[in-house]
Amino acid sequence: MSGHPDDQPGHVPVMLAEVLQTLQPRAQGRYLDATFGGGGYAAAILQAASCTLWAIDRDPEAIARGAALAARFPGSLHLIEGRFGDMLALLGQAGIGSLDGVVLDLGVSSFQLDTATRGFSFRQNGPLDMRMGRSGPTAADLVNSLAEADLADLLFRLGEERRSRRIARAIVASRALAPIETTDQLAAIVRRVVPKDGSGIDPATRSFQALRIQVNDELGEITLGLSQAAELLGPGGRLVVVSFHSLEDRLVKRFMIEAAGRTPAPSRHDPRGLQPRAQPRFRLLTARALRPHEAETTRNPRARSARLRALERLEIPAA
Ligand SMILES: C[S@@+](CC[C@H](N)C(=O)[O-])C[C@H]1O[C@@H](n2cnc3c(N)ncnc32)[C@H](O)[C@@H]1O
């Protein structure tokens, strides 16, 4: 590390233009950025319209960094440390019951990924931590304590790792000799038993993804966050979600399709088919997920897997 200021990690917001076009922030509107991160979306929303923005992040470092942006928009940006799975309660405490828009940009920020001491990266050695917040078990706690079958199950389900059993066996053999405490140790164990497949993707990628999702209960948070965001939207309010892998996107897609009443009608042999269907409260703004343009993925390879989906809360239908 040279210590030069340019070496400081930063986060380049992904699909920012598409997020703004879809959210359409307006003057006097009330919005929530549920994943503040480096504040890229937040700054752009506040610049686009003189609105009020609440911003949540579970990472105290993100909230601390956000103080500079809050000072640039006094009274307009309100930072809240917490989990977006608690957004109803967090906003309720701030006296907010209804919003004109919510954005969620899932996963980790480049600040988190590129800071070795946070333990998210198999490219830099650091403690095997992976917590976005500061509480709960670390990735090291999991790899050193889970039963072999549970480890294999986790790697398979959350990493979609086909060699999950072999990796779990290698982890258990290694930790019998000494606890696994660093990202380098874990990456080396995985690389020893998973051959490179020629795609250029590091063999440790899927195992690190699985552990990160488990450590932060990311899928549970998404499920809670989506339904609470939908609850908070007033008529005309919009929910915009950017996801980065298939497990996230599947949850977002299913939630939005159901909220917009796009699930197939039950068969006429099913008694539910006889009931009139409830009026959907939302409409889909993205029939198919939006993907980043090539110019963006060339500039920022982390945008490659991004998908944007959005919903709008309908005006209350006339009685
Ligand atoms: C991809 S970054 C967001 C980047 C941001 N849109 C920007 O433009 O700078 C995701 C952020 O969401 C936070 N985060 C992830 N899951 C969270 C959760 N369940 N509750 C609150 N914050 C969460 C992470 O700590 C991280 O800072």
Side-chain angles (χ1 to χ4, degrees), residues 149 198 227 232 253:
S227 66
L232 280 162
K253 181 176 174 185

Side-chain angles (χ1 to χ4, degrees), residues 35 37-41 57-58 82-84 105 107-108 112 132 221:
T35 50
Y41 287 4
D57 205 296
R58 70 194 293 180
R83 300 202 309 222
F84 61 62
D105 181 16
V108 280
Q112 293 164 329
M132 294 183 196
E221 280 290 304

Side-chain angles (χ1 to χ4, degrees), residues 13 16 21 57 95 103 113 116 121 218 235 268 276 298:
L16 178 60
Q21 271 157 23
D57 205 296
V103 287
L113 210 52
S121 175
E218 292 181 36
R268 61 199 169 85
T298 309

Side-chain angles (χ1 to χ4, degrees), residues 92-280:
Q93 282 157 18
I96 309 306
S98 164
L99 293 167
D100 298 297
V102 178
V103 287
L104 280 155
D105 181 16
L106 300 171
V108 280
S109 71
S110 303
F111 286 106
Q112 293 164 329
L113 210 52
D114 297 341
T115 305
T117 50
R118 301 299 300 269
F120 286 102
S121 175
F122 47 80
R123 293 203 181 88
Q124 308 172 73
N125 195 24
L128 190 55
D129 189 321
M130 298 198 195
R131 291 171 304 169
M132 294 183 196
R134 284 297 187 209
S135 58
T138 63
D141 293 331
L142 295 184
V143 296
N144 289 307
S145 67
L146 285 180
E148 185 178 323
D150 294 338
L151 257 178
D153 179 55
L154 188 158
L155 298 174
F156 183 72
R157 276 188 307 108
L158 302 182
E160 300 181 291
E161 172 59 72
R162 285 185 301 120
R163 294 194 161 79
S164 56
R165 285 172 203 252
R166 204 188 290 186
I167 299 170
R169 202 176 314 131
I171 287 175
V172 169
S174 175
R175 78 188 187 197
L177 304 174
I180 302 163
E181 282 165 347
T182 67
T183 53
D184 265 2
Q185 273 177 288
L186 179 64
I189 294 167
V190 179
R191 288 180 191 132
R192 267 202 299 275
V193 293
V194 180
K196 285 193 177 151
D197 64 2
S199 67
I201 296 174
D202 191 297
T205 307
R206 290 180 295 275
S207 298
F208 272 64
Q209 173 187 303
L211 285 164
R212 193 200 88 197
I213 294 175
Q214 178 70 27
V215 163
N216 297 290
D217 184 23
E218 292 181 36
L219 302 183
E221 280 290 304
I222 293 172
T223 303
L224 288 170
L226 290 173
S227 66
Q228 294 183 27
E231 198 70 26
L232 280 162
L233 289 181
R238 292 180 162 202
L239 169 62
V240 182
V241 186
V242 177
S243 62
F244 289 87
H245 56 75
S246 54
L247 296 172
E248 290 173 346
D249 187 53
R250 217 172 288 156
L251 287 178
V252 177
K253 181 176 174 185
R254 193 180 311 148
F255 176 83
M256 290 197 174
I257 284 178
E258 271 176 24
R262 292 286 196 88
T263 42
S267 118
R268 61 199 169 85
H269 304 297
D270 181 329
R272 285 172 303 165
L274 301 173
Q275 307 288 329
R277 298 188 92 192
Q279 282 276 4

